[in-house]
Amino acid sequence: MIPRPLRTLAALLVAALAVAGCADAEAAPPAWHGGRIFLATGNTTGVYYQLGGGYADVISRHLPGYEARAEPTGASVENINRVAGGDMEIAFSLADTAADAVAGRGAFTQPQPVRALARVYRNYTHVIVRVDAKIANFAALRGKRVSTGSPKSGTDVIAGRLLTVAGMDPDRDVRRVTLSLPETVKRMRAGTLDAMFFSGGLPTPGVADLLAGAPGTFELLPTADLIEPLSAKYGSVYTTAELPKETYGTATDTPTVTVANVILVSADMPERLAYDLTRLLFTHQGDLIDVHPEAGNFTRQSAAGTDPIPLHPGAARFYRGG
C-alpha cells in the first residue's frame, strides 16, 4: 500500500491543478486530507471488506470532491489505531473494541481520539470445530489447536474473553494461533487446526465457503451460555441471538454471543464531512444492501445508539435532523 504522505501529496497536486483551471469560479473549501478517504475494513473474505468496498463506492460516486477506497486489514484494533494515527479516515470496528479504545483499556494504553458515525449490524460469534476433533462443548477446546483470528482484530479480543470466562487461559490452555480468516479456513480444511473463532455478519463469505465445501466435516459450537460471566467481567456490550440454521445449512440454530459493529472516524474530522458520510449510509442504503444483506439491519434510530462510543458532532447533527 502506498504510504499516507505520498497518497495525500498526489491528491493535493490533483486538487491544485483543478483549482488552477477554474480561476473564475468561486473557491470551494479544500477537501479534507486532499479528498482521499481510505476505509479500514478487515479480512478479504469477511463482511467488513465487502461492505467497506460498497461504502467506498457510494462515497466516490455521491460525495463531490472525494474519492474513497476500502483497504483490507486485520480489523478492529488495527483499524482504530490507523484512524487515530491519521493513516485511514474511516474504520469498521466491533463495539466492544471501540469501547475499550475510547476508555483507554484492553489493547489501548490511552484513550483514542475516535468518534462514531453509526452503529450498524451485529456480529455473530462463530466457533467452528472439526467433527473429528471430538469437541462436544466449549470446555472441550482445552488443549486443542485454535485460531482466534487475525492479530489486533475484534475476533481475537472476543475469543480471548470467551476463553477466559470459560475458565481457560487463552495463551496456555489452548494451542492458540492468530491467523487471518483465509489462512484459518485453509488450515481448518487441511486438518492442522481443530477449531476457529470468527466474529462476523451473516453470512460471512469465508465461513460459508468452509462449511459448504466439506459437508459433515465441521460444526458450530454454541456460546450463549457464557453471556452472564462475559457481561459481568467486560460490560453490557454483548448480547445473544440464534445463528439461524438456514445461514450455513446447519442441522439446528446455534445460540451464540453477538456484538454490534460501529463505523468510526477521527475526532478531528470536519463536522460537515462527518454529517455527509453519515447521510450517505441512509440515502444510499439500498446500494449497500445490494453488496451485502447486513446493510439492511440498521435504521436511523438504531444507528444513533453508539454509547459508550461518542457520536461525532456531524453524525449527531444528522440524527437530530439538522
Side-chain angles (χ1 to χ4, degrees):
M1 186 182 71
I2 300 170
R4 152 68 63 194
L6 294 180
R7 295 196 307 252
T8 302
L9 177 59
L12 287 170
L13 288 172
V14 171
L17 290 171
V19 170
C22 303
D24 293 333
E26 182 179 350
W32 193 59
H33 286 188
R36 297 287 287 179
I37 293 178
F38 289 87
L39 292 82
T41 60
N43 293 174
T44 55
T45 56
V47 179
Y48 280 2
Y49 186 69
Q50 285 197 329
L51 272 182
Y55 190 23
D57 184 57
V58 165
I59 294 167
S60 296
R61 288 189 290 117
H62 301 290
L63 189 58
Y66 286 91
E67 183 178 339
R69 187 173 77 191
E71 296 280 355
T73 67
S76 298
V77 177
E78 178 185 341
N79 292 355
I80 291 170
N81 284 333
R82 296 184 76 173
V83 165
D87 188 47
M88 296 275 172
E89 284 71 36
I90 298 174
F92 284 74
S93 174
L94 288 173
D96 58 345
T97 307
D100 284 353
V102 299
R105 62 177 182 244
F108 305 94
T109 57
Q110 60 186 13
Q112 300 300 301
V114 294
R115 299 292 183 265
L117 295 185
R119 185 183 79 188
V120 285
Y121 65 96
R122 62 183 172 180
N123 269 15
Y124 289 70
T125 304
H126 301 67
V127 182
I128 304 166
V129 300
R130 288 187 61 92
V131 172
D132 59 13
K134 302 187 186 306
I135 302 171
N137 53 49
F138 197 87
L141 289 170
R142 188 181 296 271
K144 300 298 185 180
R145 300 167 297 177
V146 182
S147 172
T148 58
S150 297
K152 298 185 178 181
S153 68
T155 293
D156 192 39
V157 170
I158 195 170
R161 289 179 174 183
L162 286 168
L163 289 165
T164 297
V165 299
M168 288 178 266
D169 183 322
D171 296 313
R172 295 183 180 182
D173 293 329
V174 299
R175 294 160 66 184
R176 182 183 194 176
V177 293
T178 52
L179 301 169
S180 69
L181 180 56
E183 183 62 23
T184 295
V185 166
K186 179 181 176 181
R187 296 197 189 189
M188 287 289 285
R189 285 178 176 146
T192 57
L193 284 175
D194 301 310
M196 61 171 282
F197 286 76
F198 192 77
S199 179
L202 302 181
T204 290
V207 171
D209 289 346
L210 174 67
L211 299 183
T217 304
F218 309 101
E219 60 186 7
L220 288 159
L221 284 186
T223 62
D225 59 342
L226 295 171
I227 189 64
E228 289 189 13
L230 186 69
S231 297
K233 187 172 180 64
Y234 298 108
S236 59
V237 292
Y238 300 105
T239 55
T240 61
E242 297 285 331
L243 198 162
K245 61 184 180 181
E246 295 83 7
T247 304
Y248 301 114
T250 53
T252 62
D253 296 343
T254 305
T256 194
V257 169
T258 63
V259 61
N261 291 290
V262 289
I263 298 177
L264 304 174
V265 297
S266 67
D268 66 351
M269 175 178 278
E271 183 175 327
R272 179 67 204 189
L273 178 56
Y275 177 95
D276 286 336
L277 291 171
T278 308
R279 173 180 55 81
L280 291 176
L281 289 170
F282 297 92
T283 56
H284 297 282
Q285 190 169 12
D287 293 335
L288 299 177
I289 293 170
D290 288 342
V291 173
H292 196 284
E294 286 287 17
N297 290 327
F298 61 91
T299 65
R300 185 166 174 157
Q301 180 177 5
S302 69
T306 62
D307 188 67
I309 304 104
L311 280 171
H312 190 286
R317 180 160 67 86
F318 172 81
Y319 295 121
R320 291 194 305 266

